[in-house]
Amino acid sequence: MSDLDKAIAQLRACRPIPEAQVRELCHKARELLIEEGNVVTVTAPVTICGDIHGQFHDLMELFRVGGDPPDTNYLFMGDFVDRGFYSLESFLLLLCLKVRYPDRMTLIRGNHESRQITTVYGFYDECLRKYGSANVWRYCCDVFDYLALGAIVLGASNNLTPSDNPGSSPLNCDPDDVEIEVCNADGERISHFSRQDRERSQSLNPQASSGLNGNTGPPGSGASGSSNGSMGNPTGAILCVHGGLSPLVDSIDKIRFLDRKQEVPHEGPMCDLLWSDPDDIEGWGLSPRGAGFLFGADIVKIFNHRNDLSLIARAHQLVMEGFKEMFDASIVTVWSAPNYCYRCGNVAAVLELFEDGGGDGILARSNGDIDRKRVMDAMKPWDNDIPIVPRSGPGRRYRVFQAAPQDSRGMPAKKPVADYFL
């Protein structure tokens, strides 16, 4: 067994590794991460996860539900630290898994992967308490600066194979037509949603296409609207980012040109990507967080069209049902910290995307302006006067799970910060 495998075993037991080993781990991680671009390309199948926030035992439950790495290809959308009792063990374990299985573990940056935020919301104090100095906190913050700002998932299938678990609820549609499936921690289907139902509800309720009125998806999903598809390969790429969009970023290429290797700025495109939120508004709005922006359905649809995306996956906001789709299922929030702060009572979820069985779809998916020059020449940034046909979304399975059993948890050393507004 290598030293890295021993460190993984020790961290899986929720025991911190020595400071010298942390320093070496962070150095190796920086060498690996510096080779990645601001937007990492990930090929389906992949399991997408939201905020963890130092809830180590719930991270272990996530691996139980979603599968252990490297058997499962994981993409974590940031906020590994703060709030929970075990930010250190959670982040270092994910970092070890990234170094050990670099092609099976993708980590992108959240707004809490920041020196300023971690000094207020728990991670800095936890490092001091467990190591007696701020050295480990500094090593980890240096790694934060090298984390990617987003990821593009290619090769996702337009269809999914419904669960055949004996405890699953019966299907009320053609299995080949299922677009969304919601399963519990044991893999039993608890609800599902077909594309035909989506199109029928769209024709009966045209207002639902705005994403502002009426939800026609499965309970708790917030999904609505239509998925009309397109000629050829119907599924576009999926953009994963921690927070949301920026008025200064109208194409994914602009994200690629940012200088990410720095502390998160208080404003600007990098800040917006980590802090912004979708909301039931038109255009852009001021965020109550004091950083980033609020953005509406029109912004998402134009951004997705411009960049040939079928879906934006993001985290950043507590969702009581574990996930929430908005704006004609063009954006989804995934939350992976159950019973957040050990008191919110929410469930958590992960999003599973599946491989395109055709094997010829990756080249057909662009994340730039290919084949759109004529339209884009006439389109002002964020102009919503041009009719947009939404991409057909990928087949999606949400695995919903509860917090880890109480008897699996150790005794925390200190209560986390109680108030929450970020």
Side-chain angles (χ1 to χ4, degrees):
M1 178 183 285
S2 69
D3 289 343
L4 190 54
D5 288 329
K6 290 178 182 177
I8 290 172
Q10 184 168 332
L11 289 165
R12 276 185 172 273
C14 202
R15 301 198 314 270
I17 58 178
E19 180 179 319
Q21 208 166 356
V22 175
R23 183 174 64 249
E24 183 182 359
L25 170 66
C26 291
H27 178 73
K28 288 181 178 177
R30 288 200 312 273
E31 288 183 338
L32 185 67
L33 294 169
I34 198 172
E35 299 299 324
E36 296 184 345
N38 290 351
V39 182
V40 183
T41 300
V42 178
T43 304
V46 63
T47 296
I48 298 172
C49 310
D51 294 28
I52 301 301
H53 279 300
Q55 297 183 197
F56 175 84
H57 298 90
D58 299 320
L59 176 61
M60 294 298 99
E61 181 70 4
L62 184 156
F63 285 148
R64 185 189 75 80
V65 171
D68 256 334
D71 298 332
T72 300
N73 183 21
Y74 278 105
L75 195 166
F76 285 84
M77 297 188 291
D79 277 11
F80 314 107
V81 300
D82 286 339
R83 302 295 184 189
F85 297 137
Y86 303 103
S87 292
L88 193 65
E89 293 84 353
S90 299
F91 179 64
L92 292 180
L93 175 59
L94 291 173
L95 207 58
C96 280
L97 293 171
K98 172 64 178 177
V99 174
R100 181 69 176 84
Y101 310 109
D103 296 328
R104 303 291 288 173
M105 182 69 64
T106 302
L107 309 177
I108 65 176
R109 192 172 190 173
N111 63 304
H112 276 260
E113 277 69 66
S114 152
R115 293 166 182 79
Q116 182 174 1
I117 299 299
T118 53
T119 55
V120 177
Y121 292 99
F123 183 52
Y124 176 81
D125 292 335
E126 183 181 329
C127 291
L128 281 182
R129 189 167 65 249
K130 292 178 177 177
Y131 286 96
S133 76
N135 290 340
V136 166
W137 174 78
R138 293 190 187 95
Y139 302 149
C140 291
C141 289
D142 288 342
V143 174
F144 294 163
D145 290 346
Y146 286 82
L147 292 171
L149 302 179
I152 283 284
V153 178
L154 299 177
S157 173
N158 196 42
N159 303 305
L160 63 84
T161 302
S163 172
D164 58 359
N165 191 300
S168 295
S169 64
L171 288 172
N172 59 11
C173 64
D174 184 340
D176 293 334
D177 193 43
V178 175
E179 178 184 15
I180 300 171
E181 183 177 63
V182 184
C183 294
N184 61 19
D186 297 322
E188 299 169 343
R189 180 175 55 254
I190 54 180
S191 64
H192 63 282
F193 189 55
S194 73
R195 294 186 191 279
Q196 289 183 357
D197 287 341
R198 180 194 292 279
E199 291 169 1
R200 184 158 51 248
S201 65
Q202 165 70 8
S203 64
L204 293 174
N205 180 20
Q207 285 185 323
S209 66
S210 69
L212 308 182
N213 301 292
N215 294 329
T216 57
S221 74
S224 64
S226 67
S227 292
N228 297 322
S230 61
M231 295 299 292
N233 190 340
T235 305
I238 296 97
L239 172 66
C240 300
V241 65
H242 178 73
L245 301 178
S246 169
L248 300 173
V249 175
D250 58 3
S251 72
I252 292 172
D253 278 343
K254 289 189 178 179
I255 302 176
R256 293 189 172 100
F257 293 139
L258 298 175
D259 177 15
R260 79 174 191 269
K261 298 177 183 69
Q262 58 174 313
E263 172 70 346
V264 181
H266 293 108
E267 58 184 10
M270 180 173 167
C271 171
D272 298 341
L273 294 169
L274 273 55
W275 281 90
S276 294
D277 299 293
D279 199 9
D280 289 343
I281 62 172
E282 288 189 10
W284 299 96
L286 294 176
S287 173
R289 297 177 185 270
F293 291 88
L294 301 178
F295 55 93
D298 52 342
I299 301 298
V300 176
K301 290 180 181 179
I302 293 169
F303 186 87
N304 286 2
H305 178 76
R306 178 185 291 270
N307 294 280
D308 200 13
L309 303 176
S310 61
L311 182 69
I312 295 173
R314 42 93 63 179
H316 194 42
Q317 283 179 298
L318 169 63
V319 180
M320 295 303 290
E321 299 87 359
F323 71 98
K324 181 180 181 182
E325 294 192 348
M326 299 176 68
F327 310 153
D328 301 350
S330 60
I331 187 168
V332 60
T333 299
V334 180
W335 184 266
S336 301
N339 193 27
Y340 179 48
C341 289
Y342 311 109
R343 61 183 172 85
C344 286
N346 60 288
V347 297
V350 296
L351 166 58
E352 294 181 347
L353 300 175
F354 304 95
E355 184 178 10
D356 185 347
D360 57 357
I362 294 180
L363 295 179
R365 299 180 177 93
S366 70
N367 48 15
D369 291 340
I370 297 175
D371 296 330
R372 284 172 166 71
K373 186 176 188 303
R374 182 186 58 80
V375 175
M376 291 304 121
D377 285 345
M379 179 186 277
K380 302 186 295 294
W382 310 117
D383 186 352
N384 61 358
D385 293 332
I386 294 177
I388 293 175
V389 178
R391 279 286 201 177
S392 181
R396 311 184 284 292
R397 176 177 293 138
Y398 296 99
R399 289 194 183 270
V400 178
F401 61 97
Q402 304 273 356
Q406 192 62 37
D407 57 8
S408 71
R409 299 175 182 275
M411 184 65 77
K414 179 177 176 291
K415 289 184 178 180
V417 181
D419 60 321
Y420 183 80
F421 69 94
L422 292 177

